[in-house]
């Protein structure tokens, strides 16, 4: 695996200020020079085989980078940690860095960090570079999460991957077909069937999946309401036969006085056109999803046969 995986740029790693001794040597620093810098205090030993520049400012992914460096030269950022590096929104961040390795080292070999290490055989087509991180590709990451995470968390992650614009349902379908014997494949297939490239946010993804799991009729996403040839508005979710819309309001997009007035005008136009509009907040989705589901039932959304997707 080590011979075929992409390698982060050694000089860039040293310039970043958190790097391995192997990277320092590969960047042209001799063992004697490394020792001189350590004695002078310009570099410090952070862990066995890991160095840090004394004047370096903390960075966003320092814990993850340290975990990858300590785990060894073949370490690949994996799972939810890979999703974070790829810039995807998650329902919950991983409690510890998630790293894939060819062999699990002894616990003392990864002190003081405590990442979650998984043993994986990876090829060069499974791994790419994002800055200083060796990371599983978007397609590999999405399918891994689909197989490993709880269903709602997994769909949220895959939706976020699609929303990034760098992954499509065709990409994940191809990745899944290429791994006929992968662990958790039936679960991954269910997740990919539920995932959607139309989701606009984490909370939209979450409530959409909860609607389906509750056995309710699935909504139409990003529904455009057109009256007399004029676009009145685009709703997060719609049940057209019921003339029913569901909106999930995020604070960031609705907090200004201008946004409040725009929302008010838009809702009045929708109601004048005969639509009922149910509005909930992201906090409602996170903490009170059952209230949303009950509101949909009272509004006439049909019960389908519950799906065995949990």
């Amino acid at each position: 695996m080590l011979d075929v995986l992409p390698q982060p740029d050694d000089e860039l790693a040293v310039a970043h200020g958190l790097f391995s001794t192997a990277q320092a040597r590969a960047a042209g620093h001799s063992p004697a020079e490394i020792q001189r810098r350590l004695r002078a205090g310009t570099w410090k030993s952070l862990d066995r085989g890991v160095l840090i520049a004394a004047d370096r400012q903390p960075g966003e992914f320092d814990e993850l980078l340290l975990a990858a460096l300590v785990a060894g030269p073949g370490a690949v950022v994996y799972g939810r940690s890979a999703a974070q590096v790829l810039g995807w929104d998650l329902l919950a961040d991983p409690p510890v860095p998630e790293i894939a390795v060819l062999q699990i080292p002894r616990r003392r070999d990864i002190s003081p960090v405590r990442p979650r290490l998984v043993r994986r055989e990876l090829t060069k087509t499974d791994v790419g570079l994002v800055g200083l991180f060796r990371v599983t590709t978007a397609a590999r990451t999405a399918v891994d999460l689909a197989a490993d995470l709880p269903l709602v968390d997994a769909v949220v992650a895959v939706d976020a991957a699609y929303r990034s614009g760098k992954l499509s349902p065709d990409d994940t379908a191809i990745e899944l077909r290429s791994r006929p014997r992968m662990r958790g494949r039936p679960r991954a297939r269910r997740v990919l069937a539920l995932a959607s490239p139309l989701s606009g946010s984490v909370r939209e993804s979450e409530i959409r999946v909860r609607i389906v799991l509750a056995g309710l009729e699935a909504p139409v996403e990003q529904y455009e309401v057109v009256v007399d040839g004029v676009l009145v508005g685009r709703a997060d979710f719609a049940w057209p036969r019921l003339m029913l819309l569901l909106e999930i309001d995020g604070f960031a997009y609705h907090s200004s006085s201008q946004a409040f007035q725009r929302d008010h005008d838009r809702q009045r136009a929708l109601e004048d056109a005969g639509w009922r509009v149910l509005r909930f907040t992201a906090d409602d989705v996170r903490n009170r999803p059952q209230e949303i589901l009950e509101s949909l039932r009272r509004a006439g959304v049909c019960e389908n046969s519950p799906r065995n997707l949990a």
Side-chain angles (χ1 to χ4, degrees):
M1 182 170 77
L2 298 182
D3 295 334
V4 299
L5 296 185
Q7 299 296 318
D9 184 89
D10 298 310
E11 292 185 1
L12 182 62
V14 174
H16 183 68
L18 179 58
F19 52 96
S20 69
T21 53
Q23 287 174 323
R25 289 194 297 269
H29 300 279
S30 68
E33 181 185 355
I34 293 172
Q35 290 302 314
R36 283 196 299 272
R37 287 177 177 265
L38 288 170
R39 287 193 297 270
T42 56
W43 289 354
K44 296 181 179 180
S45 178
L46 194 60
D47 195 84
R48 191 183 65 166
V50 180
L51 305 174
I52 187 170
D55 60 353
R56 182 182 182 277
Q57 297 300 310
E60 178 184 6
F61 289 119
D62 281 0
E63 182 183 18
L64 180 58
L65 180 56
L66 176 59
L69 291 171
V70 174
V76 176
V77 179
Y78 174 87
R80 285 173 292 180
S81 291
Q84 288 180 312
V85 173
L86 292 167
W88 304 350
D89 297 320
L90 298 172
L91 195 60
D93 292 336
V96 296
E98 296 180 345
I99 306 292
V101 292
L102 187 61
Q103 295 290 338
I104 303 291
R106 295 178 181 178
R107 180 58 62 182
R108 62 182 173 83
D109 290 336
I110 58 171
S111 176
V113 294
R114 290 290 185 268
R116 175 177 178 255
L117 298 180
V118 294
R119 187 181 182 280
R120 291 290 184 271
E121 297 280 353
L122 297 169
T123 69
K124 61 182 179 181
T125 60
D126 296 320
V127 181
L129 285 177
V130 178
L132 294 174
F133 290 104
R134 192 186 291 113
V135 182
T136 50
T137 62
R140 171 78 193 222
T141 301
V143 172
D144 286 339
L145 293 177
D148 294 341
L149 291 183
L151 188 136
V152 176
D153 296 64
V155 174
V156 167
V158 178
D159 281 4
Y162 293 157
R163 194 162 56 247
S164 74
K166 297 181 179 179
L167 191 71
S168 72
D170 286 343
D171 296 328
T172 53
I174 291 169
E175 176 70 20
L176 186 63
R177 285 198 299 271
S178 74
R179 299 168 64 187
R181 291 183 294 277
M182 69 173 287
R183 179 181 58 82
R185 193 171 190 275
R187 186 176 192 82
R189 191 187 308 114
R190 290 195 292 268
V191 168
L192 297 184
L194 280 173
S196 169
L198 297 178
S199 176
S201 70
V202 166
R203 299 307 163 191
E204 287 181 30
S205 297
E206 182 179 3
I207 195 60
R208 188 189 77 249
V209 178
R210 295 197 185 282
I211 288 169
V212 174
L213 293 180
L216 294 176
E217 176 187 348
V220 178
E221 298 175 75
Q222 306 303 325
Y223 185 80
E224 294 186 342
V225 178
V226 178
V227 178
D228 297 329
V230 177
L231 177 65
V232 177
R234 180 182 290 106
D236 297 333
F237 303 106
W239 289 262
R241 68 176 185 80
L242 298 172
M243 295 289 285
L244 177 66
L245 305 175
L246 172 63
E247 295 276 65
I248 306 301
D249 296 336
F251 179 78
Y253 297 101
H254 302 270
S255 58
S256 69
S257 59
Q258 295 91 341
F260 178 82
Q261 184 62 49
R262 183 178 64 246
D263 289 345
H264 177 79
D265 294 343
R266 177 174 171 272
Q267 175 136 347
R268 183 173 58 190
L270 291 169
E271 291 174 346
D272 288 345
W275 290 85
R276 292 176 293 163
V277 183
L278 300 178
R279 304 190 77 92
F280 292 92
T281 67
D283 188 65
D284 292 327
V285 176
R286 183 170 56 249
N287 298 315
R288 294 172 290 277
Q290 287 303 319
E291 293 183 13
I292 302 176
L293 298 176
E294 287 305 316
S295 294
L296 292 173
R297 290 187 178 98
R298 288 194 298 269
V301 176
C302 292
E303 295 269 0
N304 294 324
S305 299
R307 300 184 185 186
N308 184 24
L309 290 170

